[in-house]
Amino acid sequence: MTRLTRRQFVVGGAGVLAAAGGIYELVDRFASAPTRQAVRRLPEQHVLPGLRVVTDNHVEVLVPPLHNAVLTGRLTVGESGKGVRSAQDELESALAGLEEGLDHSPAGLGVTVAWGLPYFRRYVPGPAARNLPVDLRATEAAGRQVQALIDAVRFPSDPADVRLEENDVVFFFRGDRLEHVDLGIEAVRGLGGLLEPTSVRRGFAGGGFGGGQSLPKRMALAAGVPGAQLIPETAELFLGFTSTQKAGLGPLLIANHETLPGYTDQWPDGYFRGGTAMHLSHILEDVEAWYLNFDFQERIDTVFRPGERVPSGTQTVRQAPEDVSTAGRVVRDFHRSGGIGHSASIQPSSRLQADVTGRDGAQYPKGTAIPQRADFNTLDNPFAWTSRPEQDGWSPQPAAGVHFVVFNPTSDDFHRNRLAMDGRLPDGTRLPIDPRDRGQGINSVLRTTHRQNFLVPPRKHRSFPLAELL
Ligand code: HEM
């Protein structure tokens, strides 16, 4: 297979965005779409029904959509109330047109529209001040009002040059068919009068559950990523471990603003009830360093928990409620081994610490995961396309990475997870590990380049939220 550079596609193709599929068209040649059930549309935009469940190493694993794409943009609409309301109608009819005949599922197209603080500050400041969800837990901790959507920050293990983005809006498309995802990108591109795209991001996940060579393995080999030959044949992700086991992902409506009592003020009739907070970041992965500098046991210690014992070659390591690490256990493991595991260090912040009855009536036992991760691998460097190549450090050379997407009840809830990943636990414990030290979970082989927080409104308010209240 000849080594493919992005430039051959971008420069050669008809128009940058259209060509962005380029190397990603290989995905459809490498993997066929699994069969899926038809589904009804939910009030939530972020919940994607119809995911298949398989078992690996006696652990239930959710099969993620094969294709993913993200388009970020800055609005070009005038700030007058009239202008924003007609933009609201135009966007909603474009989205409804896009979804016609397409289920909100991997078999059809998952469509999620989310909005950044720049939009709320510039276009709907008044209604936003009265209606944006308030983060009750963070407000109590800070002694002043904290909203569920806050600006992204630089985390201790982030490089100094990480870009904290200022997009107004983001569109997240996912599905098993590339042409459906492309339809989504093109539909938004067609909204030239409303917004200017600032980036398109593409990627893939899975494809190895049937025992064949997985997508990350094939794509990395096709693009000539250093270390690609070291990736396990059927691995769901470049770094070799399954990251979508059912127990490790928030179930049902748990990431909605209103489901867990005490998180936000959206129950019972908040404007954003049925919505959630979304974090988007791009992370480069040093695949070669990961497999050459960490042997199998060290990789297990680093991704899961120091001292976790599993047969060599295991990819899915059970992280059921009974396996979850408390803050005390993370500290003990650290003093014994000098390091922390990615999952274990995050679990004191990402798992319920007690049984909870959700506002949705569901029983969520202690140890249930809260964040709903939807991250996917990529060869973007850092994006498939950007309106600011210099500023974004764009390169035509494919690079292994992750477009990290996660839904949490509030942005602060995500910040607690991300700080825990750096050894700063929610109980205030700060483990003395240098940022990006090899003992700091997988951070030493990761480099985040961009990040931003967004708010995902419920479906009925997904287009220019609050504009109708102007
Ligand atoms: C390239 C980057 C990353 C890779 C390869 C990665 C990989 C993984 C893997 C393999 C797991 C264990 C899977 C499981 O238990 O289901 C996991 C769990 C998790 N990761 Fe990451 N991760 C990455 C970045 C992040 C980031 C930036 C965050 C942000 C906080 C994050 C949050 C989580 C959470 C919340 C869990 C579940 C923990 C639990 O409740 O058990 N991950 N990740």
Side-chain angles (χ1 to χ4, degrees):
M1 171 75 68
T2 54
R3 182 176 167 134
L4 307 166
T5 69
R6 172 85 24 103
R7 182 164 297 286
Q8 289 165 329
F9 291 94
V10 173
V11 176
V16 172
L17 279 174
I23 193 165
Y24 296 112
E25 276 147 19
L26 284 175
V27 172
D28 274 358
R29 251 207 274 141
F30 287 163
S32 54
T35 49
R36 310 257 188 193
Q37 310 305 318
V39 295
R40 64 181 177 81
R41 287 192 199 288
L42 297 172
E44 290 79 12
Q45 292 192 80
H46 59 285
V47 176
L48 190 66
L51 291 180
R52 200 160 59 97
V53 179
V54 297
T55 299
D56 182 52
N57 189 28
H58 314 293
V59 177
E60 285 193 308
V61 174
L62 295 174
V63 177
L66 288 172
H67 289 283
N68 301 267
V70 163
L71 183 149
T72 57
R74 296 280 293 175
L75 298 173
T76 53
V77 180
E79 291 162 25
S80 72
K82 193 161 172 296
V84 184
R85 278 201 297 282
S86 68
Q88 184 180 50
D89 299 341
E90 187 180 343
L91 175 57
E92 191 49 35
S93 68
L95 293 171
L98 166 67
E99 291 174 322
E100 219 163 289
L102 285 176
D103 267 343
H104 180 71
S105 76
L109 180 65
V111 178
T112 306
V113 188
W115 301 81
L117 271 170
Y119 163 74
F120 292 107
R121 288 174 179 148
R122 186 153 66 111
Y123 285 92
V124 288
R130 294 186 297 277
N131 292 285
L132 278 178
V134 173
D135 183 326
L136 302 174
R137 181 180 56 180
T139 295
E140 196 185 327
R144 60 172 174 77
Q145 189 186 72
V146 179
Q147 288 174 335
L149 174 60
I150 55 177
D151 282 310
V153 297
R154 223 172 247 108
F155 292 99
S157 63
D158 277 348
D161 62 359
V162 67
R163 272 181 65 82
L164 303 181
E165 300 185 86
E166 292 280 322
N167 293 295
D168 290 313
V169 63
V170 60
F171 298 83
F172 178 31
F173 301 110
R174 29 185 175 161
D176 288 335
R177 304 197 181 298
L178 181 58
E179 70 269 20
H180 290 173
V181 169
D182 283 349
L183 278 178
I185 295 288
E186 285 318 305
V188 178
R189 281 217 53 216
L191 297 163
L194 298 187
L195 62 95
E196 267 167 14
T198 52
S199 77
V200 171
R201 311 170 193 201
R202 290 179 169 272
F204 44 83
F209 295 108
Q213 195 175 52
S214 73
L215 274 179
K217 175 76 177 184
R218 288 179 169 220
M219 298 297 285
L221 287 171
V225 167
Q229 69 289 356
L230 302 167
I231 299 171
E233 284 298 303
T234 59
E236 181 186 42
L237 287 176
F238 289 142
L239 296 194
F241 295 109
T242 306
S243 90
T244 57
Q245 69 176 272
K246 210 170 168 199
L249 294 170
L252 304 170
L253 309 182
I254 200 170
N256 285 25
H257 292 310
E258 76 282 357
T259 300
L260 295 174
Y263 276 64
T264 78
D265 62 350
Q266 290 304 294
W267 180 265
D269 51 12
Y271 179 97
F272 289 96
R273 180 181 162 180
T276 187
M278 170 181 168
H279 182 79
L280 172 68
S281 54
H282 170 258
I283 307 169
L284 290 169
E285 297 176 302
D286 188 339
V287 171
E288 196 166 42
W290 176 239
Y291 289 105
L292 293 183
N293 303 344
F294 294 75
D295 65 23
F296 179 76
Q297 183 57 49
E298 287 167 330
R299 292 199 293 274
I300 290 288
D301 293 344
T302 304
V303 170
F304 296 98
R305 193 178 67 82
E308 180 91 50
R309 292 276 175 264
V310 294
S312 180
T314 300
Q315 292 180 24
T316 305
V317 178
R318 195 188 71 189
Q319 300 290 302
E322 60 270 27
D323 307 312
V324 165
S325 284
T326 59
R329 187 177 183 187
V330 174
V331 173
R332 284 194 303 280
D333 285 346
F334 171 70
H335 290 308
R336 183 177 44 72
S337 70
I340 59 174
H342 175 69
S343 274
S345 62
I346 296 173
Q347 285 164 351
S349 70
S350 65
R351 301 289 185 121
L352 290 179
Q353 301 302 303
D355 295 349
V356 171
T357 302
R359 301 286 194 192
D360 57 353
Q363 299 303 322
Y364 297 108
K366 179 182 176 185
T368 299
I370 300 166
Q372 291 175 338
R373 284 166 291 129
D375 49 303
F376 51 94
N377 267 145
T378 186
L379 294 168
D380 291 349
N381 193 355
F383 304 144
W385 176 84
T386 167
S387 63
R388 306 156 294 195
E390 299 301 310
Q391 285 167 314
D392 286 327
W394 184 81
S395 160
Q397 214 48 50
V402 164
H403 288 304
F404 188 78
V405 176
V406 66
F407 303 111
N408 287 71
T410 69
S411 301
D412 175 70
D413 194 52
F414 166 74
H415 288 197
R416 292 158 64 100
N417 298 157
R418 188 57 189 78
L419 286 167
M421 185 174 157
D422 286 357
R424 302 206 175 174
L425 307 182
D427 64 1
T429 306
R430 284 179 170 219
L431 295 173
I433 314 177
D434 291 343
R436 306 170 55 68
D437 177 283
R438 73 179 269 127
Q440 199 188 51
I442 48 180
N443 297 358
S444 66
V445 295
L446 304 183
R447 193 166 70 79
T448 304
T449 66
H450 294 73
R451 57 170 82 253
Q452 186 173 0
N453 287 329
F454 295 92
L455 205 66
V456 181
R459 191 181 157 76
K460 64 183 179 200
H461 294 311
R462 64 179 174 179
S463 296
F464 288 83
L466 301 172
E468 72 280 6
L469 303 181
L470 283 171

